[in-house]
Amino acid sequence: MKLILAIDGGGIRGLVPAAILDYLEKKINNIKETKTIKIGSCVDLVGGTSTGSIVGSLMLLPCEKNSKVPKYTMEEITQMYIEMGPDVFKSHFWHNVKTLWGLFGPKFPASNVEPDLLRMMDHYKLKDLVKPCLFNAYDIDKRRVNIYTNHDSGQKYSDYYVKDVIRGSTAIPAYFPPALFNVGIETNTLVDGGVFANNPSMVSYIEAIKENRKQKGKNGRKSPHSIIVISLGTGNSQRKKFPYSKAKKWGMVNWVFPIIDILLSGSSDVVDYEMTKLFEAYSASDNYIRINPPLHFSTAPSTDASKENITNLLKDSAAYIKENQTFLDDLAQRIVDLCR
């Protein structure tokens, strides 16, 4: 049985899956009567898009070169979000003037995020991560989907720096400039993977099947009976509505930010529908676990990293954990059973 963890995009709302994973990690340690287990060591593959790629990569960073022991606990990763968020989504007056508040340039400069990525991820490469990974981005120059993995038989992306891949996976169009970096003769010009797979559950599931088949041939076939997918959303908020009376008058400029919001939320919804129906078709519904807590306290957009919104996101996470403690405790036990 393989265990896949897939984490959605969603800006500062990445705090929500981080907090839930923190609870699961602590419960796993409680079950095992230890304090040393990090949840990154318990999974077979971690997939992430945008903010999900940040959480996923931090889970898999090694404590030192050539180690297979994860560096960070989920509590530490959650704290990083709390500290990093205000810097990443900080508004700069002169940048706003230069771009006319995001109308003629990205809303936030790359300098908001790149120093933090370097500080957290150093110069580790994908091949250094302690477990298989999958992070999404879209190459706008080559007009193709890029699925960055570190475990495929070709090892195409193994020498890519984690910080560069994550910078590309988090480059939300109109909010951050595209990422640009070279590896050998290969140029990568990337925007956020959420434009095609904000919920990376399906692509992660397919990747696991593909690689297992390559390694074991026909005997390596995998079905939903032999794979558990834990899909973590970044919170189900009250979505902003766009009434016909307003939208009918919009032109290209008016549609820029609404269409991004629609694309990201719609992408997550359709993947959740596909995964649900796929596992139902195999009578394996228990093996697809979607966790996407309702957001009652936080009603702000995913780029609001104010102290108030961060506090509200943590309150929403705590409320979900309290209301679903039995379910989460049972899930932690399943993870422990798979780690044996």
Side-chain angles (χ1 to χ4, degrees):
M1 183 77 75
K2 285 188 175 293
L3 176 61
I4 297 172
L5 183 65
I7 310 170
D8 286 15
I12 191 61
R13 295 204 305 257
L15 257 176
V16 175
I20 291 170
L21 288 169
D22 179 29
Y23 178 84
L24 288 172
E25 184 174 88
K26 288 173 178 173
K27 186 63 182 179
I28 289 167
N29 277 279
N30 180 261
I31 293 170
K32 297 287 287 184
E33 298 183 341
T34 183
K35 295 182 179 180
T36 62
I37 298 173
K38 298 182 178 77
I39 198 168
S41 63
C42 299
V43 300
D44 295 294
L45 185 148
V46 176
T49 299
S50 196
T51 197
S53 71
I54 297 178
V55 177
S57 60
L58 291 175
M59 287 173 59
L60 301 181
L61 281 178
C63 61
E64 58 185 20
K65 279 280 189 179
N66 301 317
S67 172
K68 291 300 178 184
V69 177
K71 180 177 183 178
Y72 298 118
T73 65
M74 286 309 308
E75 183 175 2
E76 290 172 325
I77 294 171
T78 302
Q79 187 60 36
M80 287 180 195
Y81 258 78
I82 295 171
E83 296 171 359
M84 175 181 68
D87 291 332
V88 171
F89 298 109
K90 183 178 181 180
S91 179
H92 300 271
F93 176 75
W94 288 113
H95 178 80
N96 288 340
V97 171
K98 181 181 177 181
T99 64
L100 284 184
W101 280 260
L103 287 177
F104 297 98
K107 192 171 184 179
F108 304 107
S111 58
N112 274 20
V113 65
E114 289 176 353
D116 282 322
L117 293 180
L118 176 60
R119 175 178 56 82
M120 293 186 299
M121 299 167 185
D122 200 1
H123 285 87
Y124 283 109
K125 297 182 177 181
L126 291 185
K127 66 183 179 183
D128 298 320
L129 299 182
V130 302
K131 286 293 182 77
C133 69
L134 181 152
F135 305 127
N136 301 323
Y138 188 83
D139 193 312
I140 57 174
D141 183 42
K142 298 183 178 69
R143 292 303 301 270
R144 73 183 186 195
V145 166
N146 280 10
I147 308 295
Y148 292 95
T149 62
N150 62 352
H151 62 282
D152 57 337
S153 55
Q155 298 295 309
K156 180 178 180 181
Y157 299 117
S158 291
D159 283 322
Y160 282 49
Y161 288 116
V162 178
K163 65 179 180 64
D164 291 338
V165 172
I166 303 309
R167 169 68 178 89
S169 185
T170 56
I172 311 170
Y175 287 91
F176 289 97
L180 176 67
F181 61 90
N182 297 309
V183 180
I185 62 171
E186 185 76 12
T187 299
N188 296 257
T189 310
L190 307 176
V191 296
D192 195 305
V195 299
F196 67 91
N198 198 51
N199 177 345
S201 300
M202 180 64 78
V203 69
S204 299
Y205 170 75
I206 291 171
E207 188 69 20
I209 293 176
K210 182 192 78 176
E211 288 309 309
N212 197 73
R213 181 70 179 267
K214 284 183 178 178
Q215 293 168 10
K216 299 182 179 180
K218 292 182 179 180
N219 294 327
R221 291 175 179 168
K222 288 282 181 182
S223 74
H225 292 287
S226 55
I227 295 178
I228 294 175
V229 179
I230 301 175
S231 174
L232 286 163
T234 56
N236 188 11
S237 61
Q238 182 66 42
R239 294 175 180 173
K240 185 175 182 180
K241 298 178 181 179
F242 306 108
Y244 173 76
S245 59
K246 292 184 178 180
K248 70 178 182 179
K249 303 172 185 176
W250 288 352
M252 293 177 65
V253 173
N254 307 95
W255 271 107
V256 170
F257 291 109
I259 200 64
I260 293 171
D261 182 44
I262 292 167
L263 283 172
L264 296 181
S265 60
S267 169
S268 291
D269 291 347
V270 73
V271 170
D272 179 40
Y273 173 83
E274 291 167 348
M275 290 293 288
T276 299
K277 295 304 178 183
L278 172 65
F279 278 70
E280 283 179 356
Y282 280 83
S283 300
S285 295
D286 289 345
N287 285 359
Y288 172 62
I289 302 154
R290 177 68 171 167
I291 300 174
N292 195 28
L295 300 182
H296 300 298
F297 298 102
S298 173
T299 58
S302 61
T303 56
D304 182 352
S306 64
K307 184 176 180 180
E308 179 185 7
N309 193 44
I310 286 174
T311 299
N312 286 336
L313 286 168
L314 292 172
K315 287 170 66 176
D316 278 316
S317 302
Y320 176 83
I321 291 168
K322 183 177 181 180
E323 292 170 8
N324 297 273
Q325 185 172 350
T326 301
F327 161 71
L328 292 173
D329 289 351
D330 290 344
L331 180 57
Q333 183 63 61
R334 287 186 76 181
I335 296 172
V336 168
D337 292 342
L338 290 172
C339 285
R340 289 173 181 168

